[in-house]
Structure formats: C-alpha cells, structure tokens
Amino acid sequence: MSNAAFKESYSPVAFSATGQALCVSSSVISSISSGLVMNFILRSQSKLKRPYHSIMFSMSVWDIISSLAMASSTLLMPADVRMVYPFQGKAYGTVTSCEAQGFIILFGSAMTIGSNMLLNAYYVITILFKVREEKFQKYFMLPASVVLIVFHLAVVFQFYLNDQFNPTPYYPYCFMGAYPHDCNIDLDSEGDCIRGGISQSTENQLILIVLWCLLGGIVVLLLSMAGVIVAVFKAEREMISHGSLPKDGEKIGKNSELSSLRRSSDTKRTVLRQAVMYVGAFFLTWGWSLVSIV
C-alpha cells in the first residue's frame, strides 16, 4: 500500500498525539467515575445485598478493567509498530502484551454491556412484572451472569485463536483486526499479513458475530426501556382510577393508597430516566464502533 493510499484509507486521529490523549483522558475519567460508584455502593447500608447494587458494582468493575487497558494506549503495542502505522505514542510492548490488551478491552467492554442489559432486565422484571428482588437474584441474576461470562469468553476466544488482536489504524490501542488491517482483503488469500491473516469469509463471520452481539444488546435495551415506559403509564392509570393525580406540592396522607401509588409512580419515573441515560450511554460508547464495523 502506498503512503498516499494509506493516508486516504485511514483516519489520522488514532495516530495523533491528540487522539491518544483523548483516549487516555476519557478512559481515566471513566475509571474514576466507576470507582466512585463502587465506593458509594460499598459505603451504603445494603452494600452488595441488593441485586441493583450487585449489577452496578459488576458493571463498574468491568468498566474499570477495560478502561485501564484502553488508557495504556500504544504502550502495549509491539515496539516495531511504527514500521506499519505512524503512531506518535511510544510503544514498548510485544505481540503478547498487545493480545492481552485487545482481549481485555473486548471482553471487559462486552461484560459492561452485558451488565447493562442485566440491569435493564432487572428494571423490567421487578417493576413491570413485580417480581421480588430475592427471587430475581436467585432464579435470574446468578444464572444470567454465568451465561454472560461463558458466552462472551467463547466469542472473544474466537478472535484470539485467529490472531485478531493487533494494532489497528482506527484505535490508539490494540483491538480487533488483521495486521496490517486490510492485508487479507483480496479474495480468500492471506496477502501480506504479519498477523491475523485469515480468509475474507472467516473475517466476515467474525464481524457478523460482533454485529449480532451489538444488535442483540440494542434490542434488549430498547425492549427493556419500552417495558419500563409501560410500567410508568400503568402506574399513572392506577392513580387516575383512584381519583385524580395530585398536584405538585399537594399534601396527601402518608399511609393512604394514593400516597403509595404516587411513590410507586415517582420511583418508576426515576427508573425510566435512568434507563434512558443507560441507553444513551450505550449508543455514545458503541455507536462509532458499530458504524466503523458496518
């Protein structure tokens, strides 16, 4: 590939010091934020006894793990990476360290998304279907957590076994792709790949796996948010059926049925706002990756 073709094909942002600084700073901020969430949970009275806290704690742990791997940026790339890509950051790693970085980022990010899906399932099951938290934790959360770990490990190992964790021209850290990125683009030949030289059909299959996982996450998030919206409207209808909705600031008896419905409605509205923010965070985090893959 000529130097001119290289510049036209790949965005220079990942190679620049600015792009790498943004990656490091955003990863560090994400890690600190997740650390604060974990600290808040551990200092609370219920700690990890509630399913909500357990899921949020798990999500924060996986976010910290993947974010710290991203924060290491080009440091873990093979020391000779500049012979292929013009990264401005220093590289002191090896093939093994690059594989470890890509593996941790992909698996940690997948588990973060999985925890997000589990959190939204918690909202729907406990609020819409009114399942008690103890039952949710025993019969759904624990089995679902095991399934998520096993499934994501199986998916990530497919990339590892095909040598697909390498420096890429789209991210300032090791991630999915052959090395160089487009070395196996011609038919079913491996071309001039240094690593990850697989057939185009195999590469397409791996990409489809990622796409299906992302689309599955999107579907679960949207369906769960729809379920929470339904729960909110049901609560509003119940309040209306008992008379009329009280105006803001209007005093009602603490032990009255209307008061109980009002508290239930307020709780569900809060959950709805949280669900919307989680869905927004999902698209902000993975939207560009989804577009890049497509």
Side-chain angles (χ1 to χ4, degrees), residues 203-229:
E203 184 179 36
N204 290 337
Q205 291 174 3
L206 293 175
I207 292 175
L208 282 176
I209 291 175
V210 176
L211 282 175
W212 279 115
C213 290
L214 286 175
L215 290 175
I218 292 173
V219 170
V220 170
L221 291 178
L222 293 178
L223 288 177
S224 60
M225 187 172 68
V228 175
I229 293 174

Side-chain angles (χ1 to χ4, degrees), residues 58-74:
S58 174
M59 187 189 305
S60 299
V61 169
W62 291 117
D63 178 67
I64 289 176
I65 291 174
S66 57
S67 295
L68 289 179
M70 290 181 186
S72 59
S73 190
T74 60

Side-chain angles (χ1 to χ4, degrees), residues 5-23:
F6 179 85
K7 290 181 179 179
E8 291 177 1
S9 301
Y10 302 144
S11 170
V13 177
F15 304 130
S16 66
T18 301
Q20 292 165 44
L22 289 173
C23 174

Side-chain angles (χ1 to χ4, degrees), residues 58 62 107 111 114-115 118 137-138 140-154:
S58 174
W62 291 117
F107 181 67
M111 286 303 300
S115 298
L118 187 57
Q137 188 169 23
K138 182 178 181 180
F140 186 85
M141 190 182 80
L142 295 179
S145 299
V146 174
V147 170
L148 285 173
I149 292 174
V150 173
F151 174 75
H152 288 141
L153 275 177

Side-chain angles (χ1 to χ4, degrees), residues 25 35 41 45 67 73 76 81 94 100 111 140-141 144 180 197 205 216 246 249 257 259 264 267 270 272-273 285 292:
S25 59
I41 292 173
Q45 186 175 1
S67 295
S73 190
L76 298 181
V81 69
T94 61
M111 286 303 300
F140 186 85
M141 190 182 80
Q205 291 174 3
E257 185 175 3
S259 176
S264 176
T267 299
T270 300
L272 177 59
R273 287 194 292 268
T285 303
S292 299

Side-chain angles (χ1 to χ4, degrees), residues 136-290:
F136 172 83
Q137 188 169 23
K138 182 178 181 180
Y139 297 108
F140 186 85
M141 190 182 80
L142 295 179
S145 299
V146 174
V147 170
L148 285 173
I149 292 174
V150 173
F151 174 75
H152 288 141
L153 275 177
V155 171
V156 175
F157 262 107
Q158 293 300 313
F159 289 89
Y160 173 76
L161 295 176
N162 285 281
D163 296 331
Q164 290 298 296
F165 291 122
N166 301 293
T168 74
Y170 304 113
Y171 305 98
Y173 46 77
C174 296
F175 204 49
M176 302 177 296
Y179 184 54
H181 191 71
D182 295 329
C183 62
N184 56 2
I185 200 170
D186 294 330
L187 301 178
D188 282 342
S189 66
E190 296 185 359
D192 298 322
C193 294
I194 299 173
R195 292 192 77 250
I198 57 178
S199 66
Q200 190 66 36
S201 59
T202 302
E203 184 179 36
N204 290 337
Q205 291 174 3
L206 293 175
I207 292 175
L208 282 176
I209 291 175
V210 176
L211 282 175
W212 279 115
C213 290
L214 286 175
L215 290 175
I218 292 173
V219 170
V220 170
L221 291 178
L222 293 178
L223 288 177
S224 60
M225 187 172 68
V228 175
I229 293 174
V230 170
V232 170
F233 280 107
K234 286 180 65 176
E236 297 291 347
R237 285 199 301 270
E238 287 179 5
M239 292 183 67
I240 293 174
S241 67
H242 282 76
S244 60
L245 293 174
K247 298 178 180 179
D248 292 337
E250 181 181 350
K251 295 183 179 180
I252 55 179
K254 292 184 178 180
N255 298 322
S256 67
E257 185 175 3
L258 184 58
S259 176
S260 176
L261 291 172
R262 178 64 179 270
R263 288 194 299 269
S264 176
S265 177
D266 290 343
T267 299
K268 290 169 183 175
R269 283 182 175 274
T270 300
V271 168
L272 177 59
R273 287 194 292 268
Q274 292 176 349
V276 171
M277 286 189 291
Y278 289 135
V279 172
F282 177 88
F283 283 108
L284 286 174
T285 303
W286 289 97
W288 178 251
S289 298
L290 183 60

Side-chain angles (χ1 to χ4, degrees), residues 48 71 110 124 132 172 198-199 241 287 291:
L48 297 175
V124 173
R132 295 181 61 182
I198 57 178
S199 66
S241 67
V291 172

